[in-house]
Amino acid sequence: MRLYRDLTIRQKQIVWAWAFLAIPIVFYTVIRFYPTGNAILISFQDWNLLGARTWTGLDNYTTLVSDPVFWQVFRNTFVYLLLGTPVSLVISFVIAYHLDKTRFMHGFLRMLYFLPFMTSAVAMAWVWRWFYQPVPIGLFNNALASVGIPQISFLNSTTNALPAILAPAVWAGLGFQIIIFMAGLRAIPRSYYEAARIDGVSTWAVLWEITLPLLKPTIVFIVVFSSIGFLRIFDHVFNMTTNNPGGPLNSTKPLVLMIYQTAFSSFDMGYAAAQTVVLFLVLLAVSLLQLRILRDR
Amino acid sequence: MAVAEELRPTSDALLKSKAQRRPANLGQFVRWGLLFAGGILMVMPIAYMISTSLKWPHEIYNLKLIPDEPTIENYTYVLEDGRFFWWFVNSLVIATVTTVSNVLFDSLVGYTLCKFRFPGRYIVFIAILSTLMIPTEMLVIPWYLMSQQFGWLDTYWGIMFPGLMTAFGTFLMKQFFETVPDDFIEAARIDGLNELQIWWTVAMPLVKPALAALAIFVFLGNWTAFIWPLIVTNSVEMYTLPVGLSSFGDEADVAWELIMTGAAISTLPTLVVFLIFQRFIIRGVVMAGLKG
Amino acid sequence: MGFSRLKALALASATSAAALLGSAANAVEIEYWQYFFDARVSAMEQLIENFEAANPDITVKMTHFPYADYRTKVAAAIPAGEGPDVVQLFYGWLNDYVAADLIQPLPEDVFPADKIDAEFFPMVQAMKEGDQYWALPTAVRSLALFYNERLMEEAGITEPPETLDELIAAAKAMTKVDAAGNVTQVGVTAGMTAQDHHWWREVLVRQFGGEPYLDDYKTVNYNTDAGVEALEFYVGMTEGDTPASAFGFMDEPQAAFKAGRAGMHIDGSFRIGSLADTRGLKWGVAELPANADGMRSNYSSYWVNAITTKAEGEKYDAAVKFMEYIVSDEAMQIWLDVVGELPAKPSVGLTDANANDPVFGPFIKGLAYANTTKFADESGQRQAMVEMVERMTLQGMSAAESLAIAAETEQKLLDDYYATN
């Protein structure tokens, strides 16, 4: 232990840091990094899971780039991101902000908003799919019909299907974001608000000048995490389009669904691995970009 | 000298007393009304789910909220299934253990990445974050091979091991530890506490809301996990709840009324966990008069 | 990563463990895998009981798991060297399993090809490669026309339709449209996502004079006049002022039928179980309609049992005996009684009792003229059909054009598959 005591404070910090990180790093390496490296390797091979593997170099990638379905899927994935993240961010913040200021039956309301997040995704997908059905079964179309508006084809339309599927995904995720926001709001010291009240600052200004800036770490977390979530969307799409996955005509298919089908329907592991690598790079790029932008401000 | 940081006292008693001091105004009322309406809209689909679970199969396609012929037959069918008890217990054990593991390890790693300066810090953070970017569907095969090699198939450990630490939790905790002022840490160091003690006795209590949120999410995520438990289990007694419930359908037909019933039943434990932990999120920390 | 090395390792440990256990009780234990479905599991348990009683030195251990992601599950297990001695697989996967060296052909002395040809329904021959059979089914399924007795009565139809024209007429009579033009009841269900793509391929195309595939299902051949006519007939059911059907009605064809809002519904025999449970639904079954010349066709699919390459020595012998039993007449009758799936042999299927059964009869009769499609990628090929119809309904494409695209898509799937297998 003489050696340890002789270290500078700075160096002791480093020792402690790595000591804390030791087991987790081993864990992540074995459970995540090694299999990921394996997946990258497979992307340069041809493997149908049951037979031998053969090297094919960049073949999988060139096939990918020239596959029109891939580009549509790529576009879909970004639409999920660009629609989903801002909408859910704003809605969940507004709700969390007001919920925070409410006293009466606060716990009950909070539970109502969180319930969708806790419920089985499969069950909810089925219910929403039924909501979207045409007359005489679908709730939404029945409502429209009762006020004389012609019915809308939600899931059977190549233009409406994606937003129609995004809606329950956003709906389910709201509870999660609301809770995180509330935890963040609660972490802001009351003294700031007290000082503002004494100075006679308006509620709006308090929101913009005090609350939001202090919520920055929370916002960063939610933006990055929900972006990753929307880019990786799978369960909701799969559960709502079970009979015609990613349909109609690939208009709702995100990248992860394409990977899943390639791997477990077509058993083309090499091709699926190549798609996974692409997804990984996209996610990495988007996340790093967001972290960079949100940090500099 | 640091200002006495009075973090928000948020116990319910204090909240109530504050409310009494301020008269309710129209704005408050409208706000409450809108939130309540929004809340009802939020749970509509769940109401339909429960309503379906109370219907006979021929009625499930008519989307009426109140069934013409309500029945608890579905519930008795599911609950009387002897295997149901095991599925429930398995899920409970696995979700609990992974939650505890995540709360400990994710916060340790998050704390380290936040409060320590050391070479490679950013790389480690990005590396861990990057594990979120590989869909688990692709990792299932290597995990299976690993489990088979080490004899973890069909065991609790086999089901649990991939989820013991997550990048999500680490990221969350790191962000929340950012809100803990460095002064506190320094003060504790000066007081002679070692790093482990500082983490456990000083930093952790300050991020209880985040820990509670983490606990809820990890529990929920593991409670509802499907693909991996499906693949790693062989015997019916080892199934987790989602896997077991999915056996109420086969290639030709899915018994939706039973799925809805199963979903309704599965929601209960997560609801309980939520109700227990959510108070910590709002209770926050009362730290009166800490002087620097 | 040596899958073969892992497999060898697993094999070595398994056989040595078996040797230890085997020597203790002198009993051979073999493993059987199938997917979980109450009725199938109880039927198999019965079969295992009977088999073990007749063969006291063999025990059979059955493992099953939920159907959802059955393929994923098996696909993950087998490369890892886990696996049964006798496995149940969908007939469509046979090529994959053979190519990957997972199963071995059935021994010719016990299962000679000409004997099997003669004893089983003809479509089982899809399980033959050259002169050897690789797998055999205990039970098969086919398609038939389900009809709602009450709705037929309401529309004044006394007999289920015998021909395609009668089908359309009956369907039009039973389709109801409300004041705003929305369909509230369909005469016959339609949807390529269900069984209709089988009906179209193996039945309609043939009935309009075509042959859907050539070269043992390696070449797509429905891009012909017959194919166009068949497609126009199919999509035509949903068009016009008095439609006979509607796509996407009530989400799934079988949902519409179960809810009592569809007069007729083409589906497989596996639907019988859940319809029987549906209270308040009075339904009957009829053979699939013939064309104007009286020609009938049907599609049959089945799950087969095969012996894996893992089975060697004593286990192999035991596995052969087990296979023999589970495709015996006795086993098939038990399966029919417990699971409600059709026997694979005429000797069981065409007995008076079975062939004239009001529910099973039409299905069994259909087996005599059924074809089985050899799929390379069933979900992919089904998707091609789904999209073929979607291009017409959502993008207004003509039948001929959409058909050509579908044929090209499917041919590519087949070519890709057979290039590496």
Side-chain angles (χ1 to χ4, degrees), chain A residues 34 38 49-51 53 129-130 133-137 151 156 158 243-245 248-250 260 264-267, chain C residues 1 3 69 71-72 75 79 100 102 182-183 193 248 250-252 261 377 379 382-383 386-387 390 394-395:
Chain A
Y34 175 67
N38 219 345
L49 203 66
L50 302 176
R53 303 189 205 189
R129 204 162 71 218
W130 279 96
Q133 289 301 302
V135 170
I137 316 299
Q151 61 174 351
N156 271 325
T158 47
N243 289 327
N244 184 5
L249 290 175
N250 294 322
Y260 181 81
F264 296 114
S265 289
S266 309
F267 287 95
Chain C
M1 183 167 324
F3 138 72
D69 296 291
R71 256 204 115 167
T72 315
L102 282 179
N182 301 314
V183 175
T193 53
M250 289 196 70
D251 192 44
E252 275 187 316
R261 287 187 190 254
D377 173 3
S379 28
R382 183 184 75 163
Q383 196 64 21
V386 170
E387 292 182 355
E390 280 179 342
L394 297 176
Q395 295 179 338

Side-chain angles (χ1 to χ4, degrees), chain C residues 334-346:
Chain C
I334 293 179
W335 203 268
L336 174 63
D337 293 333
V338 177
V339 185
E341 286 194 338
L342 320 168
K345 289 182 180 164

